Amino acid sequence: MLAYFGPQGTFTEQAALGLGASPDELVPYDTVPAALAATRRGDAEAACVPVENSVEGAVPATMDALTEGEPLVAVAETVLDVRFSVLVRPGGGEVKTVASHPHALAQVRHWLAEHLPAADVVATTSTAAAARAVLAGEFDAAVSAPVAVRHYPLEVLATDVADVRDAKTRFLLLRRPGPPPAPTGQDRTSVVVTATDRVGALSELLTELALRRINLTRIESRPTKGRLGEYRFYIDFDGHVAEPRVGDALAALRRHCPDTRFLGSYPKAEPGGAPVGDEEFVAAAEWVAAVREGRGA
Ligand SMILES: O=C(O)C(=O)Cc1ccccc1
């Protein structure tokens, strides 16, 4: 069974199907933490959740749920183009309220201001929850994933709605810790670290990556919810923990920051960039081994 951020008809359901899940193994949960909790309990083998959007940034519920509670690790990612459909009840009258997930609303602000300027905007737990609420008569319009209309008998008021063309959302498939998927040469590794409050702390962490020619693909901060000014940093970079360079960098991060949490090594959804060779790192490690054994100098 695979838990996903539902109900039926969310972008996350589309993402889970795109990751190869079969429709009959999918079980919807109303929130990201609920889908992750089901996976931690072992009720689900894995959970599919959104992690970031190219317009609106990180999904805070996912970021927090990754560090609070028992560890989960990403084993796959996928990226979806995000275009919205605006759905209404068939024959419904004037649109006085429009509902959706906050990430969706943030991506259609201009469209709403132009086309539905008088409507009150209401946040719901997901885009599909908004469609259901429209069906139940709670709101007049929902900003939804295009597939939602297949699940709910609503009418399409507009399609292809997006303030920013080419907006994309990235989703992760998370499991309880186990051996990571085999390296493909085009992988990403995710970690979360807490940089201590002193000069150069973050810069030292990032330098450990740079020294090993590891390309940083994302860095995001979230408050630890402890002291004001104390942050966790979510760091994504190219490479797989099985590669000596990356293993070496992870060990260095852990030396700087003993609560470094590994969030997974998994194939990149959109491969790019030439892989950095590990040969020098392997050769250097072999040389040290030889020196230790008295076989070289
Ligand atoms: O609510 C949904 O459909 C989701 O899967 C979360 C989301 C919301 C807006 C853009 C992309 C994903």
Side-chain angles (χ1 to χ4, degrees), residues 5 10-12 50 53 82 84 101 103-104 107 125-128 169 171:
F5 174 34
T10 55
F11 284 102
T12 311
N53 175 270
V82 173
F84 301 94
H101 185 274
H103 264 244
Q107 292 177 62
T125 50
S126 69
T127 57
T169 299
F171 299 82

